[in-house]
Amino acid sequence: MYDWEKMKKIIILIPVYNDWESLSKLLGEINKTIQEIKNVEFNCIVINDASTIQIPKIELPKNIVSLKLINMKKNNGHARCNAFGIRYLSKKDDFDYLILMDGDGEDRPEEIKFLVEKAITDENTSVIARRIKRSEGFFFQLLYRLHKILTLIFTGKNINFGNYSCITKKDIKILSDKESLWSSFSGSLKYHIKKLNSVKSIRGLRYCGPSQMSFFKLVIHSLSIIAVFKKIVFLRSAMLLIISSYLSLSLSINVVIFQILLIIFNLMIFIVSLRENRKDFLESDLNVKSSNQYTH
């Protein structure tokens, strides 16, 4: 149980697309967790990413002070809902921290207390949930490890976290006009915020239904993170091309294949980087259709 002298205000941001059953269970689990945390006021913002099913009645748990439901006109995807939410909150001053989490149970609500404790202990530094164990199958975990290796090689960064995090208001304002946020949260956070604390995190199981992460989405997700560092990637790739050229006399076929693959990889990074649309990001509030406020 934690107790701090000064009351802190934390907003939990949750994007949802059709998965309202999971959201209902998640809110209940959050309610159980935060009742142990004293002198912290919890509010929630749910971003309805243009769901195609009817939204059921939302029951506001007693330990969450308020819940704002923001309905979007057009489906933009999970990452862009988070980007919109960060920009939306950057214009407000009535909070201290923002917690980003998925609405399907894979970000375990019982870990909120660890994020909050770490954030308030070092109140000027954002905290990420560092994955130490995942719940997916062998093939997905193999691809995830490959993603981490490629990211480390081409960016020099070990990005072992997703969206689940507790971000300071100061860092929210820093991120709020960075176009890379429109494509990748974790890549943008690692690139633009120099100091981050972390807590250990275990990837949870989905509350309802199968995972929505297809192979194609996983590839785009991985490339989007790396694309945030595209200048570094292009520079390192150029160095690899130059170095490999000196080996072409003795390993000509293998070197040529390597160089072709490297060029293809860089083309893919460039194409994915075009997702970083600054205009769409800065005007993302135009996609808001309506909003509803739930309070006790």
Side-chain angles (χ1 to χ4, degrees):
M1 184 177 294
Y2 312 112
D3 193 355
W4 292 279
E5 293 182 1
K6 183 181 177 182
M7 175 71 74
K8 300 292 184 181
K9 184 172 181 180
I10 294 178
I11 296 176
I12 302 174
L13 179 69
I14 308 171
V16 177
Y17 175 70
N18 287 341
D19 201 0
W20 300 100
E21 184 179 354
S22 290
L23 175 68
S24 178
K25 183 172 182 178
L26 176 65
L27 291 175
E29 294 299 319
I30 290 174
N31 186 63
K32 293 177 186 177
T33 296
I34 64 177
Q35 67 183 352
E36 304 175 10
I37 306 174
K38 304 302 179 183
N39 281 351
V40 179
E41 176 188 311
F42 286 90
N43 297 267
C44 188
I45 293 178
V46 174
I47 300 179
N48 171 24
D49 192 21
S51 292
T52 57
I53 64 174
Q54 185 174 358
I55 303 172
K57 182 180 179 181
I58 296 177
E59 299 290 341
L60 181 62
K62 65 177 182 179
N63 295 312
I64 298 177
V65 175
S66 70
L67 184 149
K68 186 169 188 176
L69 175 66
I70 301 178
N71 301 298
M72 311 305 280
K73 298 175 187 176
K74 182 178 70 174
N75 178 275
N76 270 329
H78 195 93
R80 290 174 176 176
C81 281
N82 282 330
F84 160 77
I86 287 172
R87 183 157 178 80
Y88 171 81
L89 286 170
S90 71
K91 302 172 185 178
K92 300 181 178 299
D93 291 316
D94 57 343
F95 74 100
D96 297 292
Y97 300 95
L98 169 66
I99 291 179
L100 290 177
M101 68 186 305
D102 294 343
D104 55 12
E106 292 185 346
D107 290 337
R108 302 195 308 156
E110 56 264 41
E111 294 174 353
I112 288 177
K113 57 181 177 287
F114 305 128
L115 287 167
V116 173
E117 181 184 32
K118 190 73 171 180
I120 296 181
T121 300
D122 186 0
E123 63 181 1
N124 294 317
T125 305
S126 296
V127 186
I128 54 96
R130 174 171 46 87
R131 301 297 187 195
I132 60 170
K133 185 178 179 181
R134 303 188 68 89
S135 60
E136 300 91 346
F138 173 77
F139 181 65
F140 184 95
Q141 293 196 43
L142 181 64
L143 292 175
Y144 179 72
R145 290 191 181 97
L146 177 61
H147 150 71
K148 286 178 63 178
I149 292 170
L150 284 175
T151 304
L152 183 61
I153 290 173
F154 285 98
T155 72
K157 304 293 183 180
N158 180 23
I159 302 179
N160 54 0
F161 62 95
N163 297 320
Y164 202 15
S165 54
C166 184
I167 312 299
T168 65
K169 182 165 61 177
K170 170 179 64 74
D171 288 346
I172 289 296
K173 291 186 181 297
I174 291 173
L175 292 171
S176 65
D177 65 348
K178 302 298 186 290
E179 61 190 56
S180 62
L181 193 66
W182 195 236
S183 182
S184 171
F185 167 75
S186 55
S188 298
L189 187 67
K190 192 73 173 180
Y191 186 88
H192 294 290
I193 308 302
K194 302 308 178 186
K195 182 184 177 184
L196 293 169
N197 285 331
S198 68
V199 296
K200 294 180 180 179
S201 174
I202 297 173
R203 188 72 164 173
L205 296 173
R206 283 181 57 85
Y207 292 142
C208 306
S211 173
Q212 303 300 306
M213 181 63 80
S214 65
F215 174 75
F216 176 75
K217 287 182 179 180
L218 178 62
V219 171
I220 296 299
H221 172 72
S222 175
L223 293 176
S224 296
I225 293 173
I226 297 173
V228 176
F229 303 84
K230 53 185 174 292
K231 292 181 181 179
I232 298 173
V233 173
F234 296 157
L235 178 60
R236 290 191 173 202
S237 297
M239 292 175 64
L240 285 172
L241 285 171
I242 293 171
I243 292 171
S244 63
S245 296
Y246 286 101
L247 303 175
S248 60
L249 294 178
S250 57
L251 299 171
S252 56
I253 296 177
N254 290 333
V255 168
V256 168
I257 292 173
F258 169 77
Q259 291 177 334
I260 291 173
L261 290 175
L262 188 59
I263 292 170
I264 292 173
F265 174 74
N266 277 264
L267 284 173
M268 292 171 66
I269 293 297
F270 173 74
I271 292 170
V272 170
S273 73
L274 298 178
R275 289 162 46 90
E276 301 175 3
N277 190 310
R278 183 173 182 81
K279 182 177 183 293
D280 286 352
F281 174 40
L282 297 183
E283 297 179 354
S284 56
D285 57 320
L286 298 178
N287 191 34
V288 175
K289 179 180 179 181
S290 63
S291 63
N292 304 90
Q293 187 82 19
Y294 301 85
T295 58
H296 291 296

